[in-house]
Protein backbone atom coordinates (compact mmCIF):
# COMPACT_ATOMS: atom_id res chain seq x y z
CA UNK A 1 0.00 0.00 0.00
CA UNK A 2 1.18 3.51 -0.81
CA UNK A 3 -0.04 6.46 1.25
CA UNK A 4 0.72 10.03 0.19
CA UNK A 5 0.03 12.78 2.72
CA UNK A 6 -0.32 16.48 1.88
CA UNK A 7 0.49 18.71 4.85
CA UNK A 8 1.70 22.20 5.73
CA UNK A 9 3.53 20.79 8.76
CA UNK A 10 5.51 17.77 7.48
CA UNK A 11 7.64 17.88 10.64
CA UNK A 12 4.64 16.61 12.61
CA UNK A 13 4.84 13.38 10.61
CA UNK A 14 8.61 12.88 10.89
CA UNK A 15 8.50 10.26 13.60
CA UNK A 16 5.24 8.25 13.74
CA UNK A 17 6.09 5.93 10.83
CA UNK A 18 9.73 5.36 11.82
CA UNK A 19 9.24 3.07 14.79
CA UNK A 20 8.04 -0.36 15.76
CA UNK A 21 5.47 -2.05 13.54
CA UNK A 22 5.11 0.67 10.90
CA UNK A 23 8.87 0.94 10.54
CA UNK A 24 9.03 -2.79 9.90
CA UNK A 25 6.15 -2.62 7.43
CA UNK A 26 8.03 0.02 5.45
CA UNK A 27 11.32 -1.88 5.61
CA UNK A 28 9.55 -4.97 4.28
CA UNK A 29 8.17 -2.92 1.40
CA UNK A 30 4.57 -3.56 2.49
CA UNK A 31 3.88 0.10 3.22
CA UNK A 32 5.17 3.27 1.59
CA UNK A 33 4.42 6.65 3.16
CA UNK A 34 5.33 9.95 1.48
CA UNK A 35 4.76 13.38 2.96
CA UNK A 36 4.24 16.22 0.51
CA UNK A 37 4.78 19.77 1.74
CA UNK A 38 1.90 21.93 0.53
CA UNK A 39 4.30 24.88 0.57
CA UNK A 40 6.01 23.38 -2.47
CA UNK A 41 2.78 24.36 -4.28
CA UNK A 42 2.50 27.87 -2.80
CA UNK A 43 0.91 30.57 -4.96
CA UNK A 44 3.84 33.00 -4.60
CA UNK A 45 7.47 33.33 -3.57
CA UNK A 46 6.41 34.12 -0.03
CA UNK A 47 5.21 30.53 0.25
CA UNK A 48 1.59 31.51 0.71
CA UNK A 49 -0.87 28.63 0.99
CA UNK A 50 -3.59 30.20 3.15
CA UNK A 51 -5.74 33.30 3.12
CA UNK A 52 -8.52 35.04 5.05
CA UNK A 53 -12.00 33.55 4.90
CA UNK A 54 -14.53 35.38 2.70
CA UNK A 55 -17.21 36.87 4.92
CA UNK A 56 -14.73 37.51 7.69
CA UNK A 57 -14.10 35.69 10.92
CA UNK A 58 -11.09 34.40 12.77
CA UNK A 59 -8.51 31.99 11.36
CA UNK A 60 -7.08 31.27 7.95
CA UNK A 61 -8.25 28.91 5.22
CA UNK A 62 -6.00 26.69 3.10
CA UNK A 63 -6.52 28.03 -0.43
CA UNK A 64 -7.93 26.01 -3.29
CA UNK A 65 -5.11 26.66 -5.75
CA UNK A 66 -2.10 25.19 -3.94
CA UNK A 67 -4.20 22.18 -2.90
CA UNK A 68 -5.42 21.50 -6.44
CA UNK A 69 -1.91 21.92 -7.81
CA UNK A 70 -0.58 19.42 -5.29
CA UNK A 71 -3.42 16.92 -5.80
CA UNK A 72 -3.28 17.06 -9.59
CA UNK A 73 0.50 16.79 -9.61
CA UNK A 74 0.32 13.63 -7.50
CA UNK A 75 -2.52 12.24 -9.61
CA UNK A 76 -0.24 12.40 -12.67
CA UNK A 77 1.72 9.49 -11.20
CA UNK A 78 -0.80 7.70 -9.04
CA UNK A 79 -4.43 6.66 -9.33
CA UNK A 80 -5.84 6.97 -5.81
CA UNK A 81 -8.55 4.70 -4.46
CA UNK A 82 -9.61 7.47 -2.07
CA UNK A 83 -8.70 11.11 -1.49
CA UNK A 84 -9.32 11.56 2.22
CA UNK A 85 -9.69 14.85 4.09
CA UNK A 86 -9.27 14.91 7.87
CA UNK A 87 -11.81 17.09 9.60
CA UNK A 88 -13.64 17.02 12.93
CA UNK A 89 -16.95 17.29 11.05
CA UNK A 90 -16.31 14.06 9.10
CA UNK A 91 -17.73 10.62 9.95
CA UNK A 92 -15.91 8.88 12.80
CA UNK A 93 -13.02 6.59 11.87
CA UNK A 94 -13.42 3.08 13.29
CA UNK A 95 -12.08 -0.46 12.86
CA UNK A 96 -14.57 -1.28 10.13
CA UNK A 97 -13.34 1.67 8.06
CA UNK A 98 -9.74 0.71 8.82
CA UNK A 99 -10.37 -2.82 7.57
CA UNK A 100 -11.95 -1.55 4.37
CA UNK A 101 -9.27 1.07 3.65
CA UNK A 102 -6.48 -1.43 4.32
CA UNK A 103 -7.51 -3.29 1.15
CA UNK A 104 -6.63 -0.33 -1.09
CA UNK A 105 -3.47 0.13 -3.13
CA UNK A 106 -3.09 3.94 -3.07
CA UNK A 107 -4.47 6.56 -0.70
CA UNK A 108 -4.06 10.32 -0.70
CA UNK A 109 -4.53 11.96 2.70
CA UNK A 110 -5.05 15.69 3.06
CA UNK A 111 -4.41 17.43 6.35
CA UNK A 112 -6.19 20.68 6.98
CA UNK A 113 -4.88 23.34 9.29
CA UNK A 114 -6.13 26.61 10.71
CA UNK A 115 -9.84 26.88 9.87
CA UNK A 116 -9.70 24.08 7.29
CA UNK A 117 -9.58 23.97 3.50
CA UNK A 118 -11.61 25.82 0.87
CA UNK A 119 -14.98 24.06 0.60
CA UNK A 120 -14.62 23.73 -3.20
CA UNK A 121 -11.79 21.24 -2.70
CA UNK A 122 -14.04 19.19 -0.47
CA UNK A 123 -16.83 19.39 -3.05
CA UNK A 124 -14.75 18.45 -6.10
CA UNK A 125 -11.62 16.51 -5.10
CA UNK A 126 -12.20 14.80 -1.77
CA UNK A 127 -13.82 11.36 -1.99
CA UNK A 128 -14.00 10.66 1.74
CA UNK A 129 -13.81 12.60 4.99
CA UNK A 130 -12.76 11.28 8.39
CA UNK A 131 -12.72 12.48 11.98
CA UNK A 132 -10.91 10.59 14.72
CA UNK A 133 -13.21 11.67 17.53
CA UNK A 134 -15.32 14.38 19.09
CA UNK A 135 -12.64 16.90 19.97
CA UNK A 136 -10.75 19.47 17.94
CA UNK A 137 -7.10 19.06 16.94
CA UNK A 138 -5.01 21.90 15.58
CA UNK A 139 -4.59 20.07 12.28
CA UNK A 140 -5.20 16.80 10.50
CA UNK A 141 -1.63 15.48 10.83
CA UNK A 142 -2.10 13.57 14.07
CA UNK A 143 -5.35 12.15 12.72
CA UNK A 144 -3.49 11.05 9.57
CA UNK A 145 -0.85 9.36 11.74
CA UNK A 146 -3.59 7.52 13.64
CA UNK A 147 -5.20 6.28 10.44
CA UNK A 148 -1.90 5.23 8.82
CA UNK A 149 -1.01 3.28 11.96
CA UNK A 150 -4.40 1.55 12.06
CA UNK A 151 -4.14 0.59 8.36
CA UNK A 152 -0.45 -0.31 8.34
CA UNK A 153 -0.77 -3.00 10.99
CA UNK A 154 -3.60 -4.66 9.04
CA UNK A 155 -1.56 -5.17 5.86
CA UNK A 156 -0.85 -8.85 5.17
CA UNK A 157 2.62 -9.81 6.42
CA UNK A 158 3.03 -6.88 8.81
CA UNK A 159 1.94 -8.66 11.99
CA UNK A 160 3.01 -12.19 12.85
CA UNK A 161 0.42 -14.92 13.41
CA UNK A 162 0.71 -14.55 17.18
CA UNK A 163 -0.02 -10.85 17.12
CA UNK A 164 -2.59 -11.17 14.36
CA UNK A 165 -5.05 -8.33 14.05
CA UNK A 166 -7.83 -10.91 14.07
CA UNK A 167 -7.65 -10.93 17.87
CA UNK A 168 -7.81 -7.16 18.33
CA UNK A 169 -10.41 -5.34 20.30
CA UNK A 170 -13.25 -4.28 17.97
CA UNK A 171 -12.64 -6.93 15.28
CA UNK A 172 -15.66 -8.82 16.58
CA UNK A 173 -17.30 -5.89 18.37
CA UNK A 174 -15.71 -7.10 21.61
CA UNK A 175 -12.97 -5.53 23.70
CA UNK A 176 -9.83 -7.61 24.24
CA UNK A 177 -9.54 -9.70 27.43
CA UNK A 178 -6.97 -8.90 30.17
CA UNK A 179 -3.41 -10.19 29.64
CA UNK A 180 -0.70 -11.20 32.11
CA UNK A 181 2.99 -12.07 31.94
CA UNK A 182 5.67 -13.26 34.37
CA UNK A 183 5.93 -13.47 37.33
CA UNK A 184 2.96 -15.63 38.38
CA UNK A 185 2.70 -13.63 41.61
CA UNK A 186 3.70 -9.97 41.71
CA UNK A 187 3.46 -8.11 45.05
CA UNK A 188 1.05 -10.78 46.18
CA UNK A 189 -1.21 -10.36 43.13
CA UNK A 190 -1.65 -13.70 41.38
CA UNK A 191 -2.33 -14.36 37.71
CA UNK A 192 -5.76 -16.01 37.19
CA UNK A 193 -5.24 -19.72 37.72
CA UNK A 194 -6.90 -20.74 34.45
CA UNK A 195 -4.13 -19.06 32.41
CA UNK A 196 -1.54 -21.34 34.04
CA UNK A 197 -3.66 -24.49 33.57
CA UNK A 198 -2.39 -25.41 30.13
CA UNK A 199 -5.99 -26.23 29.22
CA UNK A 200 -6.41 -24.33 25.94
CA UNK A 201 -10.14 -24.88 25.73
CA UNK A 202 -10.73 -23.50 29.24
CA UNK A 203 -8.39 -20.59 28.52
CA UNK A 204 -10.28 -19.71 25.35
CA UNK A 205 -13.60 -19.87 27.20
CA UNK A 206 -12.25 -17.66 29.97
CA UNK A 207 -10.93 -15.10 27.48
CA UNK A 208 -14.23 -15.01 25.63
CA UNK A 209 -16.13 -14.55 28.93
CA UNK A 210 -13.79 -11.77 30.02
CA UNK A 211 -14.17 -10.04 26.65
CA UNK A 212 -17.95 -10.09 26.87
CA UNK A 213 -17.94 -8.93 30.50
CA UNK A 214 -15.52 -6.08 29.76
CA UNK A 215 -17.53 -4.98 26.78
CA UNK A 216 -20.80 -5.01 28.81
CA UNK A 217 -19.18 -2.91 31.51
CA UNK A 218 -17.18 -0.46 29.41
CA UNK A 219 -18.72 -0.28 25.95
CA UNK A 220 -22.27 -1.67 25.96
CA UNK A 221 -22.86 0.33 22.76
CA UNK A 222 -20.62 -2.17 20.89
CA UNK A 223 -22.93 -5.06 21.76
CA UNK A 224 -25.93 -3.38 20.22
CA UNK A 225 -24.59 -4.43 16.82
CA UNK A 226 -24.04 -2.51 13.62
CL1 LIG B 1 -9.53 14.50 11.48
N1 LIG B 1 -8.96 16.92 12.34
C1 LIG B 1 -8.97 17.88 13.26
N2 LIG B 1 -8.42 19.07 12.99
N3 LIG B 1 -9.51 17.73 14.46
C2 LIG B 1 -10.04 16.54 14.71
C3 LIG B 1 -10.07 15.49 13.80
C4 LIG B 1 -9.51 15.72 12.60
N4 LIG B 1 -10.69 14.45 14.34
C5 LIG B 1 -11.03 14.83 15.56
N5 LIG B 1 -10.67 16.09 15.78
Amino acid sequence: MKIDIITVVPGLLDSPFNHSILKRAREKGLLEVNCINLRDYAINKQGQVDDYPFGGGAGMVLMAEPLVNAIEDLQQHTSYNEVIYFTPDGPAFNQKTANRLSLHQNLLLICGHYKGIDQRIRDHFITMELSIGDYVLSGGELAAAVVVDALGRLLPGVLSDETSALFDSFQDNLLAPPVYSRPEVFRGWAVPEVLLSGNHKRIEEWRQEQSVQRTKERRPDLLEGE
Side-chain angles (χ1 to χ4, degrees):
M1 166 180 271
K2 181 173 82 145
I3 303 180
D4 292 335
I5 309 176
I6 297 177
T7 168
V8 280
V9 199
L12 273 176
L13 296 169
D14 276 348
S15 173
F17 317 125
N18 293 331
H19 303 277
S20 183
I21 289 167
L22 289 202
K23 179 183 182 188
R24 218 172 51 233
R26 295 174 71 196
E27 285 170 353
K28 284 188 182 173
L30 301 169
L31 174 67
E32 178 186 339
V33 183
N34 306 299
C35 293
I36 295 94
N37 191 339
L38 186 63
R39 280 221 206 265
D40 295 344
Y41 298 88
I43 59 159
N44 54 32
K45 290 215 171 75
Q46 288 71 50
Q48 187 181 356
V49 294
D50 58 355
D51 208 339
Y52 296 98
F54 278 126
M60 303 293 272
V61 175
L62 287 183
M63 304 166 79
E65 189 177 338
L67 279 167
V68 167
N69 288 341
I71 294 169
E72 289 185 337
D73 188 30
L74 293 165
Q75 282 176 332
Q76 300 267 318
H77 313 106
T78 307
S79 172
Y80 294 101
N81 300 98
E82 299 280 3
V83 180
I84 302 173
Y85 174 54
F86 290 103
T87 174
D89 59 15
F93 181 65
N94 58 25
Q95 192 62 46
K96 194 173 155 199
T97 306
N99 292 346
R100 189 164 60 77
L101 288 176
S102 75
L103 302 174
H104 288 319
Q105 208 50 246
N106 299 301
L107 296 176
L108 178 55
L109 311 186
I110 301 190
C111 304
H113 238 265
Y114 319 115
K115 276 285 152 198
I117 66 175
D118 191 298
Q119 180 62 38
R120 290 167 290 191
I121 302 302
R122 296 173 69 170
D123 293 342
H124 300 289
F125 288 87
I126 300 298
T127 64
M128 180 179 193
E129 299 188 330
L130 289 177
S131 162
I132 61 160
D134 291 340
Y135 41 81
V136 177
L137 303 170
S138 53
E141 286 77 12
L142 297 182
V146 164
V147 169
V148 171
D149 187 295
L151 301 190
R153 60 189 294 287
L154 292 174
L155 301 176
V158 170
L159 295 184
S160 64
D161 283 350
E162 304 91 80
T163 54
S164 165
L166 291 174
F167 302 112
D168 288 344
S169 281
F170 301 112
Q171 280 302 9
D172 46 11
N173 282 335
L174 288 177
L175 301 180
V179 291
Y180 297 85
S181 186
R182 292 192 293 177
E184 282 179 28
V185 180
F186 175 72
R187 294 194 174 177
W189 303 311
V191 169
E193 169 277 328
V194 57
L195 296 177
L196 311 173
S197 70
N199 182 332
H200 295 294
K201 182 159 172 284
R202 266 187 70 214
I203 291 170
E204 250 344 284
E205 284 165 2
W206 180 85
R207 286 184 169 150
Q208 180 69 18
E209 246 168 58
Q210 292 286 316
S211 275
V212 171
Q213 191 184 321
R214 250 192 192 186
T215 311
K216 276 183 185 156
E217 281 169 14
R218 300 178 180 202
R219 295 293 307 276
D221 55 299
L222 293 177
L223 295 171
E224 280 149 29
E226 298 291 85

